[in-house]
Amino acid sequence: MAQSRVALKPLSLFQLFLIFTGVIFLCCLLGIATRQLNFLASFWPANSVLLGLLIRFPQTRHPISFIGAIVGYLLADTLQDTPFLLNVCLTSANLLYVLTTLALYIKFNAFIRSMHQGYFYLFLFSFCCIGGLSSSSFAAMTLPYFNTKFSLDSFAIDFGYWFTAEIQNALLLLPAILSAPHLTKFKQQLKAFKTQTVEESLPVFAVIFSIAIAYYDAGPGSLLYPIAPLIWCALRYPHFSVAIITSISCAFIIHHVSQNYLLLYPNQYLNNTISIRLGLIMMTIAPLTVSSINMVRSNLIQELQHTIAHDELTSSLTRRQFLQSVQLLQQATSSAQTTAFLMLDIDHFKQVNDNYGHQIGDHALQSCVQTIQSLLRPNDLLGRLGGEEFAVFMTDISPQAAYDCAEQIRQRMSQTPIKLDQQQHFFIQLSIGLYICTAENQHSIEYLFKQADDALYQAKRQGRNQVVIST
């Protein structure tokens, strides 16, 4: 799962209280607006939104947040003239679900993520089921003591309706809340979604087509029509997009099918609604789990590719990856642009290892790469060719700017202390060979390498700690 902890700007306790009161109050009003037969809420987002916020933003797990949520719950039903004791009972059942699920999530979250198998949603919805069992049991046992429209035909019906409603709402809302990207990434995904080709749009078109068939069919099998297209989406789209598409599709299906059963079989509406919700739960878990597993595997592949392409010690490009990247940049760069190839070598590095040990030598290499990287542009390439030898490739740069950059790297490195302990430190120096490739003398990577390498050895012969330009 991609969901990670998100940092919020520091909030005062009063702001936290107002936010949770307002959010839960509005969510409750939305749920109240969806009550059918004048008393049943077909969609109750408040509990899942509260749970999602507490999971996504750990810093909001404060007693004042729960107090604000309680006020939001009570205020919304008070406006509906719900008796106070009944209001307290309903609010207690809602909070019991949230607290139970959140406690299980906090306890087992580290274990789930350590598995790296993409089963996050299976565990999360298992926790939601346990939370739903506790809240629905409480509601089914206490509601009959009130002369209320919220108490249905029997304990089994009360329990089943409340339980399936909790899990349904969790499936529709939690994946989108937990996987929602930051604004910048969201804009990138939205832009990519708008500019995708017809072939890339086929999965979402298949979902729309399946929903259209389900709408005109209206039979019990219509509940299953979107499963295959949703799994197709799970294999092709980013996880957040899959969560949104799945939520919208399932919300439409359950509303449409429930409405039809309400009209056709009003006396069996409650039993049918519970059955429909259970089917919806099974349908929703499939694409979300496939998407989660696919995302985990994609991340592992990216990590593997990064590990292969980058030096383990310094995180700079490996020799092979650096040379391949230079070749690709050469192909993509206009022949009218000037490029620069730098070879850098730490002077007398063997003495560093001999005098201070290889651990300090490794630290010196890391410090060297950090210093070089801080002075390069975002598109410049830095690679470790082996041992204490590095290379830099720059595109679209003037000869003077390339020389100035090389000289700045040399000077900055000679002024950067390498710490031995709290009091002692030493300095290292660099010899740099530079070759400028102008529009008039474009050459292969092998030629650039040789020219810069010759200039590096000339710098070594002339006394080290200097920049030499190949002529």
Side-chain angles (χ1 to χ4, degrees):
M1 241 290 288
Q3 177 264 327
S4 59
R5 294 186 172 187
V6 178
L8 284 176
K9 293 181 179 179
L11 299 173
S12 68
L13 294 182
F14 183 66
Q15 288 175 317
L16 204 59
F17 172 82
L18 289 180
I19 289 173
F20 275 81
T21 299
V23 169
I24 299 305
F25 175 71
L26 293 175
C27 288
C28 288
L29 291 183
L30 177 60
I32 290 170
T34 66
R35 286 174 178 168
Q36 300 181 40
L37 296 181
N38 204 31
F39 65 94
L40 295 174
S42 60
F43 178 59
W44 187 259
N47 299 351
S48 293
V49 169
L50 176 58
L51 178 61
L53 291 176
L54 294 171
I55 290 177
R56 186 74 189 267
F57 306 103
Q59 62 271 44
T60 64
R61 298 170 195 167
H62 190 279
I64 200 68
S65 301
F66 292 96
I67 294 173
I70 291 171
V71 172
Y73 281 120
L74 294 175
L75 183 60
D77 259 320
T78 299
L79 294 180
Q80 303 301 311
D81 296 325
T82 303
F84 179 72
L85 290 180
L86 175 60
N87 200 346
V88 171
C89 176
L90 294 171
T91 299
S92 299
N94 290 327
L95 287 176
L96 186 59
Y97 163 75
V98 174
L99 290 172
T100 302
T101 307
L102 180 64
L104 290 170
Y105 170 83
I106 293 173
K107 183 174 179 61
F108 294 103
N109 181 43
F111 167 73
I112 297 171
R113 297 188 183 283
S114 67
M115 296 175 65
H116 297 293
Q117 293 179 338
Y119 298 149
F120 176 83
Y121 285 121
L122 293 180
F123 282 98
L124 178 61
F125 293 139
S126 297
F127 301 155
C128 290
C129 286
I130 298 173
L133 288 174
S134 62
S135 65
S136 54
S137 298
F138 176 84
M141 288 187 294
T142 56
L143 288 179
Y145 291 100
F146 298 90
N147 182 20
T148 173
K149 57 190 177 182
F150 294 106
S151 181
L152 306 176
D153 294 344
S154 65
F155 175 86
I157 295 295
D158 283 336
F159 176 88
Y161 193 88
W162 191 290
F163 174 78
T164 54
E166 292 285 23
I167 307 306
Q168 166 200 280
N169 295 328
L171 287 165
L172 292 178
L173 295 174
L174 279 180
I177 294 173
L178 299 183
S179 63
H182 293 288
L183 183 59
T184 302
K185 190 173 182 180
F186 173 75
K187 290 180 178 179
Q188 293 174 350
Q189 291 186 8
L190 185 62
K191 184 178 179 180
F193 195 79
K194 290 180 178 179
T195 57
Q196 62 185 2
T197 63
V198 174
E199 182 180 356
E200 293 170 335
S201 302
L202 286 179
V204 73
F205 286 150
V207 172
I208 296 172
F209 181 70
S210 67
I211 291 176
I213 295 178
Y215 178 80
Y216 288 104
D217 183 336
S222 60
L223 190 68
L224 305 176
Y225 288 168
I227 289 182
L230 287 175
I231 292 178
W232 191 9
C233 290
L235 295 172
R236 297 293 298 273
Y237 295 145
H239 186 65
F240 177 65
S241 299
V242 174
I244 295 296
I245 293 171
T246 302
S247 295
I248 294 175
S249 302
C250 293
F252 175 83
I253 289 294
I254 191 169
H255 174 73
H256 176 61
V257 175
S258 297
Q259 287 284 52
N260 283 327
Y261 272 90
L262 177 60
L263 295 174
L264 295 174
Y265 312 104
N267 295 329
Q268 301 176 357
Y269 173 73
L270 295 176
N271 286 322
N272 287 331
T273 298
I274 293 173
S275 176
I276 291 169
R277 284 176 174 172
L278 290 173
L280 172 81
I281 290 167
M282 296 299 104
M283 183 183 77
T284 309
I285 287 177
L288 291 175
T289 301
V290 170
S291 177
S292 184
I293 292 173
N294 190 50
M295 181 181 61
V296 169
R297 289 179 176 174
S298 297
N299 290 338
L300 289 175
I301 291 174
Q302 290 178 2
E303 291 177 8
L304 178 61
Q305 291 173 336
H306 183 274
T307 300
I308 293 173
H310 292 79
D311 175 59
E312 182 179 5
L313 177 64
T314 64
S315 295
S316 57
L317 295 174
T318 61
R319 181 189 183 98
R320 179 180 179 182
Q321 185 63 40
F322 175 78
L323 296 177
Q324 288 180 346
S325 299
V326 170
Q327 288 179 323
L328 290 175
L329 268 181
Q330 282 184 313
Q331 295 172 4
T333 301
S334 169
S335 58
Q337 290 184 5
T338 298
T339 60
F341 195 98
L342 288 73
M343 293 282 290
L344 309 91
D345 188 85
I346 301 177
D347 296 332
H348 304 297
F349 186 72
K350 185 176 182 302
Q351 295 180 10
V352 174
N353 285 329
D354 292 342
N355 295 334
Y356 307 116
H358 288 278
Q359 186 174 1
I360 297 298
D362 289 346
H363 179 58
L365 289 172
Q366 292 170 336
S367 177
C368 181
V369 168
Q370 291 171 3
T371 300
I372 296 171
Q373 194 73 64
S374 68
L375 297 172
L376 297 179
R377 302 169 303 175
N379 294 330
D380 295 336
L381 298 177
L382 170 62
R384 184 184 181 190
L385 303 183
E388 68 275 19
E389 195 169 59
F390 301 89
V392 172
F393 182 70
M394 305 173 169
T395 60
D396 193 19
I397 188 168
S398 67
Q400 185 61 47
Y403 176 80
D404 290 343
C405 180
E407 186 62 28
Q408 192 175 13
I409 290 173
R410 184 193 66 80
Q411 292 179 4
R412 179 74 63 83
M413 195 67 250
S414 64
Q415 298 167 0
T416 302
I418 310 297
K419 291 186 178 181
L420 293 172
D421 51 41
Q422 295 297 329
Q423 281 103 16
Q424 294 181 305
H425 61 268
F426 66 97
F427 297 89
I428 58 177
Q429 297 175 336
L430 293 176
S431 295
I432 302 176
L434 170 62
Y435 179 71
I436 305 295
C437 187
T438 61
E440 296 78 23
N441 61 344
Q442 296 291 323
H443 296 288
S444 66
I445 178 63
E446 292 80 8
Y447 185 84
L448 301 180
F449 193 108
K450 183 179 184 306
Q451 293 298 315
D453 196 42
D454 290 344
L456 171 64
Y457 279 100
Q458 184 178 346
K460 293 284 189 182
R461 289 193 299 268
Q462 293 178 182
R464 295 185 171 85
N465 189 28
Q466 57 185 283
V467 178
V468 173
I469 303 178
S470 175
T471 57

